[in-house]
Amino acid sequence: MTRLILPLPPSVNHAYRNFTTKHGERKRVPTANAVRFKRDAGWLAKAWAQRTGWSKTERQKVIMRYWVYWPDGRKRDVDNLLKFLEDSLVGILVDDDRYLLPRAMDYEVDKGNPRVEVEFEIYDKTILEEAVN
């Protein structure tokens, strides 16, 4: 199975900036880093889909296994990057991120090449039921 390799997405804490307008209205906008990640991840996902023959799923559950390679040994939670990662794939690999079934597989430190590697598999409940019986 060929993995989609992406740069590390920003965590939810670093993906948005909150501010108040001069009229007192609170706004939340994506940071420049978040916009850049979403753009780059979109292009990489499109290229991966063409290379592997993946076509965007419509209302179909997809198992998304992912491996995280951090830039350093600081304490982090792998699920903090999940929301922005999933959002960047909507409209390209899946029609809605509610159909993604994420599975964090492992994490390590790779100072020279921090990234997230992702595998996708169409969820087939009948195969699971046959394996159990």
Side-chain angles (χ1 to χ4, degrees):
M1 187 175 298
T2 305
R3 289 184 184 174
L4 168 61
I5 300 173
L6 300 171
L8 283 176
S11 69
V12 173
N13 296 336
H14 294 97
Y16 297 98
R17 183 174 61 87
N18 297 314
F19 70 96
T20 305
T21 67
K22 63 182 178 180
H23 302 295
E25 186 180 352
R26 293 186 52 97
K27 294 276 187 175
R28 186 173 167 188
V29 296
T31 62
N33 188 34
V35 171
R36 187 173 32 259
F37 172 80
K38 195 165 184 174
R39 180 199 63 215
D40 294 349
W43 283 110
L44 291 166
K46 284 178 188 176
W48 176 86
Q50 288 178 341
R51 209 171 46 252
T52 63
W54 181 273
S55 57
K56 183 175 76 166
T57 62
E58 301 285 335
R59 291 195 237 170
Q60 194 168 19
K61 292 178 184 174
V62 175
I63 298 168
M64 182 179 88
R65 295 180 193 91
Y66 65 103
W67 292 257
V68 179
Y69 297 87
W70 300 116
D72 55 46
R74 288 188 314 176
K75 233 170 117 173
R76 296 179 172 92
D77 294 333
V78 293
D79 59 340
N80 280 349
L81 55 77
L82 191 55
K83 180 64 178 152
F84 214 72
L85 173 62
E86 290 178 341
D87 287 350
S88 69
L89 303 173
V90 171
I92 300 168
L93 302 182
V94 295
D95 65 332
D96 190 324
D97 60 347
R98 73 183 177 142
Y99 295 111
L100 287 172
L101 303 170
R103 307 286 188 268
M105 302 306 291
D106 199 3
Y107 63 90
E108 294 182 29
V109 173
D110 187 344
K111 292 178 183 181
N113 187 20
R115 66 196 180 280
V116 60
E117 297 184 4
V118 190
E119 289 179 353
F120 301 93
E121 177 184 349
I122 302 296
Y123 176 72
D124 187 346
K125 191 174 184 177
T126 59
I127 291 175
L128 182 63
E129 289 171 350
E130 290 172 6
V132 172
N133 295 327

